[in-house]
Amino acid sequence: MPRTPFNVLFVCMGNICRSPAGENIFRHRVTEAGLEKEIRIDSAGTHNYHIGKGPDRRMCATLQGRGIASDGRARHFTAQDFEDFDLILTMDDDSHARVTALDPDGGYRDKVKNFTSFCTRSDNQQTEVPDPYYGGTDGFELVADMLEDGCAEIIRRYQAGAL
């Protein structure tokens, strides 16, 4: 079993849509599974565009429609996050590249995973979680579907001792 608390970080570009949605969905599912004392969750962005801002209102509405609270404040990913987190989940290839660039020796690369590697449903087999920021409601729903799918798999693997 991983160390307790097991620390999970969701990372996207600005930390206002995908990564806080991942953080909030995962927190909701962790609480439902009774694992809130074992797993700590946070999110961050690879760019500093939105530091201190709350999650995008459209993503909040999408999560609220699913009975999931949405909170948090945008922050920037830093090299310290490699020390503080056991699993770092990137939403897309650019975020993955920017995160791993802060680890020049590669000593933490095993902690950094593409979130989509946890998606199990056949309709979620994309290589990236798409950024819904410039789209409509359907994009936010797609992202929430992908995040719910992958978060369920992360919990399953955690409970099986496979993380």
Side-chain angles (χ1 to χ4, degrees), residues 10 12 14-26 43 53-72 91 115 129-148:
F10 292 81
C12 71
N15 193 212
I16 60 166
C17 284
R18 295 170 292 171
S19 57
E23 173 188 357
N24 286 294
I25 288 169
F26 193 54
S43 63
K53 292 183 182 174
D56 182 279
R57 63 177 172 71
R58 297 163 297 171
M59 185 56 82
C60 291
T62 300
L63 297 184
Q64 183 179 29
R66 294 166 184 245
I68 299 171
S70 187
D71 60 6
M91 296 293 138
F115 179 83
V129 177
D131 190 346
Y133 189 79
Y134 293 105
T137 304
D138 290 348
F140 288 92
E141 292 293 341
L142 171 64
V143 167
D145 288 345
M146 292 178 76
L147 293 170
E148 290 217 52

Side-chain angles (χ1 to χ4, degrees), residues 47-113:
H47 293 68
N48 61 1
Y49 304 142
H50 305 290
I51 303 300
K53 292 183 182 174
D56 182 279
R57 63 177 172 71
R58 297 163 297 171
M59 185 56 82
C60 291
T62 300
L63 297 184
Q64 183 179 29
R66 294 166 184 245
I68 299 171
S70 187
D71 60 6
R73 293 280 169 235
R75 72 173 186 87
H76 196 227
F77 182 87
T78 68
Q80 181 62 45
D81 290 322
F82 290 120
E83 291 287 329
D84 295 343
F85 291 90
D86 304 299
L87 179 61
I88 300 169
L89 299 162
T90 58
M91 296 293 138
D92 56 45
D93 294 338
D94 183 65
S95 296
H96 192 87
R98 289 177 183 270
V99 165
T100 57
L102 292 175
D103 179 25
D105 326 359
Y108 298 106
R109 299 269 163 97
D110 59 323
K111 292 183 173 191
V112 183
K113 307 281 187 217

Side-chain angles (χ1 to χ4, degrees), residues 26-36 38-39 155 159:
F26 193 54
R27 181 172 290 113
H28 183 82
R29 298 296 173 226
V30 161
T31 299
E32 285 183 333
L35 298 170
E36 62 273 10
E38 295 179 38
I39 299 175
I155 290 171
Q159 290 175 319

Side-chain angles (χ1 to χ4, degrees), residues 149-162:
D149 176 27
C151 286
E153 178 64 8
I154 293 165
I155 290 171
R156 188 194 68 72
R157 290 187 196 179
Y158 174 82
Q159 290 175 319

